[in-house]
Amino acid sequence: MARYIFITGGVVSSLGKGLASAALGALLQARGFTVRLRKLDPYLNVDPGTMSPFEHGEVFVTDDGAETDLDLGHYERFTGVAARATDSVSSGRIYSTVLEKERRGDYLGKTIQVIPHVTDEIKNFLRIGEDEVDFMLCEIGGTVGDIEGLPFFEAIRQFSQEKPRGQCIFMHLTLLPWIKASGELKTKPTQHSVKELRSIGIAPDVLVCRSEWPIPQKERDKLALFCNVRPDAVIAAQDLKSIYEAPLAYHREGMDQAVLDAFQISPAPRPELSRWEDVADRIFNAEGEVKVAIVGKYTQLEDAYKSIAEALTHGGMANRVRVKAEWIDSEIFEREDPAPWLEGFHAILVPGGFGERGTEGKVRAAQFARERRVPYLGICLGMQMAVIEAARNLAGLTDAGSEEFDHEAGRKRFTPVVYHLKEWIQGNHTIARKLDDDKGGTMRLGAYTANLKEGSNVARIYGTNTVEERHRHRYEVDVKYRDKLEKAGLCFSGMSPDGRLPEIVEWSDHPWFIGVQFHPELKSKPFAPHPLFADFIRAAIETSRLV
Ligand code: GLN
């Protein structure tokens, strides 16, 4: 039966709880254990699928088609364990399950209450797959003391009591602020946060303290004494140059040892950290720099394209170069010539997105990349815009566009080269959708197969003829324009197994121009860079002769 590690946060949000959890997962793996990581989010949305990327950052899609929190992306990147729908839950999901049960009459006339009904449902979630791994790491979103978080804290408290002694531990992440005037790291906010945690019945076993500076022994002792943890279990998590240093840095600080000690696992298996040493070596000993322009809409919040930024870094690591990604708002290209903006870049990436705003600018970025022979990677909407560019400028469909934009505007302006997908096959059944369906969870989501065309660039890059990649879209390039577009030179190099859905397009006579309907960035890892990103960066180096 799995041992449980509950990860909570205090003092302020955005401390990198997700990263700390992911790094701990990687360290436990390095010691030979199997792990699974989960996120419990107290907000009321059923899942983050309907949240704006400006609000919540990227939506991470799992193979089994769940739209989840971006922390699941960190978990996967650090452990290589594919996240599943049952690794993410929110208050909204829990409450909707409870209410469905109530309507069905499952509670036999009882009054439905937070304790025990909501907390029971949270505990049911925690138990899923408990026999499958050695360690289950469960991160609670938000900070201790948040009103919405209370049922989750109560549920993990109850859960730890119901399990045999020593089966569950609590790791709490806090911040030690640096006071410039006195030159001191302050422990008081951490003390208060632990006090808050203990007032709801949870005593942390391990304290992870984020700080800008090393934590002097005096402060460590103070934290141990006032927060009632063992001195060895006060872990300093100093700011790092790269997130991928975290497993090595936290190991040096004794995080994994403190966790194993808390479970009284002795002797602890020795860690095998060569994977992370290689990752660190590739990051810190990179030679040369590749500049990639990301032409998108959600450019103010870096988290909106988290996995893309990470996958580009991995692509750099595969080639031992640094990748400098710069975000450019595509709307600029609707007013200005893209050339002066894009000329300094070695490669151009147009990411996914929703809605018409900024899309004409993306079409112009795709045109620039095609004409100037600059490596281009179009992801989802970035592929659709590249196809629209080809249709308009080379296939004579001058009013080509996407049905998405006509639908949004409420009038018909475009030839729908990209149309609303009403039906598709998943496994052995057909999924049907209407334009006015609910927004939540109704896209074409999760892993689907694509067959690759023999001799194409993508077949060479992947080194195989079928791939499984993750999708999240409502619209699709219409295969009925395939002949026209192929005559113009656009190669449909990846298709769904039934041949109806274009999955990949490429310009065969271009140094590197590929559009994909799926999200390859979601499967890239620092120790296993995604082949498309690795080859995209290789091409950027080659075409610009950087090295
Ligand atoms: N808005 C487009 C669609 O729904 C693209 C989605 C995306 O880029 N993820 O098809």
Side-chain angles (χ1 to χ4, degrees):
M1 201 195 299
R3 292 182 166 93
Y4 282 78
I5 303 168
F6 293 106
I7 299 116
T8 58
V11 182
V12 291
S13 59
S14 307
L15 282 180
K17 242 187 310 151
L19 258 169
S21 309
L24 175 58
L27 289 174
L28 291 170
Q29 281 182 322
R31 291 193 186 248
F33 296 107
T34 54
V35 299
R36 188 164 170 189
L37 285 97
R38 291 191 159 150
K39 180 84 191 277
L40 293 88
D41 272 308
Y43 51 70
L44 280 168
N45 304 62
V46 172
D47 62 40
T50 51
M51 287 174 164
S52 156
F54 292 118
E55 286 265 321
H56 194 71
E58 158 186 284
V59 173
F60 191 80
V61 182
T62 59
D63 281 329
D64 55 1
E67 297 178 283
T68 70
D69 188 82
L70 56 76
D71 276 327
L72 271 77
H74 289 311
Y75 303 163
E76 251 197 73
R77 283 188 283 275
F78 278 78
T79 64
V81 177
R84 292 183 253 174
T86 45
D87 290 329
S88 166
V89 83
S90 64
S91 291
R93 167 88 59 207
I94 295 286
Y95 275 91
S96 71
T97 311
V98 169
L99 295 176
E100 269 166 38
K101 285 189 177 174
E102 188 272 337
R103 292 290 84 183
R104 273 204 310 264
D106 291 4
Y107 295 117
L108 306 174
K110 285 258 181 305
T111 306
I112 312 305
Q113 295 180 298
V114 173
I115 305 170
H117 301 99
V118 169
T119 47
D120 278 354
E121 207 50 56
I122 298 172
K123 289 188 287 180
N124 288 344
F125 169 80
L126 293 172
R127 274 185 216 106
I128 299 170
E130 64 182 343
D131 295 323
E132 291 169 17
V133 288
D134 299 322
F135 286 98
M136 195 78 90
L137 283 73
C138 305
E139 178 192 348
I140 314 293
T143 41
V144 58
D146 295 346
I147 289 180
E148 319 87 276
L150 280 173
F152 289 94
F153 285 91
E154 171 59 13
I156 60 174
R157 183 196 67 75
Q158 291 175 14
F159 189 85
S160 73
Q161 288 297 326
E162 289 164 17
K163 288 279 171 196
R165 219 176 262 284
Q167 196 82 13
C168 301
I169 69 158
F170 297 93
M171 181 165 110
H172 190 55
L173 197 78
T174 70
L175 172 74
L176 302 187
W178 168 253
I179 304 296
K180 218 166 154 189
S182 60
E184 278 179 308
L185 280 175
K186 289 302 197 185
T187 65
K188 190 70 83 188
T190 299
Q191 295 178 40
H192 278 293
S193 162
V194 170
K195 195 170 156 204
E196 179 82 33
L197 204 56
R198 290 169 69 192
S199 75
I200 49 179
I202 294 172
D205 298 282
V206 179
L207 211 53
V208 180
C209 303
R210 291 294 313 271
S211 76
E212 274 176 72
W213 302 95
I215 310 178
Q217 195 56 43
K218 193 173 119 247
E219 270 69 30
R220 284 177 193 258
D221 293 343
K222 199 164 160 188
L223 283 163
L225 184 65
F226 286 92
C227 299
N228 194 31
V229 296
R230 288 166 186 276
D232 290 349
V234 177
I235 309 299
Q238 228 180 298
D239 295 354
L240 302 170
K241 281 202 213 71
S242 158
I243 56 170
Y244 298 119
E245 259 185 284
L248 294 178
Y250 294 171
H251 172 69
R252 275 195 303 273
E253 278 295 325
M255 180 193 270
D256 43 334
Q257 190 60 55
V259 164
L260 296 176
D261 286 348
F263 283 113
Q264 296 188 315
I265 296 175
S266 164
R270 290 179 67 81
E272 216 294 84
L273 292 164
S274 53
R275 166 185 277 186
W276 294 102
E277 279 152 10
D278 179 54
V279 163
D281 177 54
R282 284 173 184 273
I283 290 184
F284 295 114
N285 300 313
E287 281 169 34
E289 186 174 84
V290 172
K291 285 177 75 181
V292 181
I294 304 182
V295 182
K297 182 161 73 167
Y298 317 111
T299 48
Q300 299 100 313
L301 181 70
E302 219 185 285
D303 273 357
Y305 298 119
K306 189 77 199 156
S307 293
I308 289 183
E310 296 308 324
L312 283 171
T313 304
H314 307 161
M317 288 161 69
N319 294 283
R320 291 193 168 271
V321 291
R322 251 183 319 279
V323 172
K324 188 160 187 287
E326 267 179 49
W327 314 83
I328 302 176
D329 183 349
S330 58
E331 275 185 291
I332 296 171
F333 302 158
E334 293 170 9
R335 304 184 298 266
E336 292 176 38
D337 177 9
W341 287 84
L342 294 176
E343 267 160 0
F345 290 95
H346 305 120
I348 297 168
L349 188 152
V350 176
F354 293 85
E356 185 170 10
R357 189 164 66 77
T359 52
E360 287 302 319
K362 293 181 183 182
V363 170
R364 298 195 68 191
Q367 182 178 1
F368 175 90
R370 176 178 59 78
E371 290 175 351
R372 300 286 197 96
R373 303 177 67 74
V374 181
Y376 175 94
L377 175 56
I379 295 180
C380 209
L381 188 67
M383 166 199 180
Q384 297 173 356
M385 294 306 107
V387 172
I388 287 171
E389 191 278 316
R392 286 183 190 169
N393 298 330
L394 296 167
L397 296 157
T398 48
D399 55 0
S402 170
E403 215 178 336
E404 176 175 6
F405 314 146
D406 273 349
H407 179 64
E408 187 183 329
R411 63 199 164 94
K412 203 169 152 20
R413 297 160 295 166
F414 298 122
T415 298
V417 169
V418 176
Y419 74 112
H420 178 245
L421 195 56
K422 284 161 206 74
E423 214 180 86
W424 68 89
I425 294 168
Q426 185 179 44
N428 43 20
H429 59 278
T430 304
I431 299 189
R433 292 281 185 263
K434 290 196 290 297
L435 257 178
D436 53 3
D437 278 345
D438 278 358
K439 288 279 172 284
T442 55
M443 282 188 252
R444 181 170 177 248
L445 289 167
Y448 284 89
T449 306
N451 293 338
L452 310 183
K453 186 174 171 162
E454 229 185 277
S456 62
N457 275 325
V458 282
R460 172 189 59 79
I461 294 166
Y462 276 104
T464 171
N465 48 19
T466 64
V467 292
E468 289 254 313
E469 294 279 10
R470 296 183 193 168
H471 293 66
R472 181 172 187 252
H473 61 113
R474 245 179 259 288
Y475 297 84
E476 180 78 43
V477 172
D478 195 335
V479 73
K480 82 176 181 217
Y481 298 101
R482 179 174 177 169
D483 281 352
K484 262 204 168 96
L485 287 159
E486 283 195 327
K487 278 201 192 91
L490 189 68
C491 169
F492 283 59
S493 51
M495 296 296 293
S496 61
D498 64 2
R500 283 166 60 190
L501 309 179
E503 291 276 5
I504 310 174
V505 296
E506 59 186 55
W507 290 110
S508 316
D509 61 352
H510 186 286
W512 211 99
F513 192 113
I514 294 174
V516 291
Q517 186 53 74
F518 45 80
H519 291 274
E521 71 275 18
L522 302 179
K523 284 175 70 166
S524 189
K525 285 145 198 116
F527 45 82
H530 191 286
L532 283 177
F533 280 87
D535 206 63
F536 178 53
I537 299 300
R538 182 203 56 75
I541 297 168
E542 212 171 275
T543 52
S544 59
R545 299 206 173 71
L546 262 179
V547 286

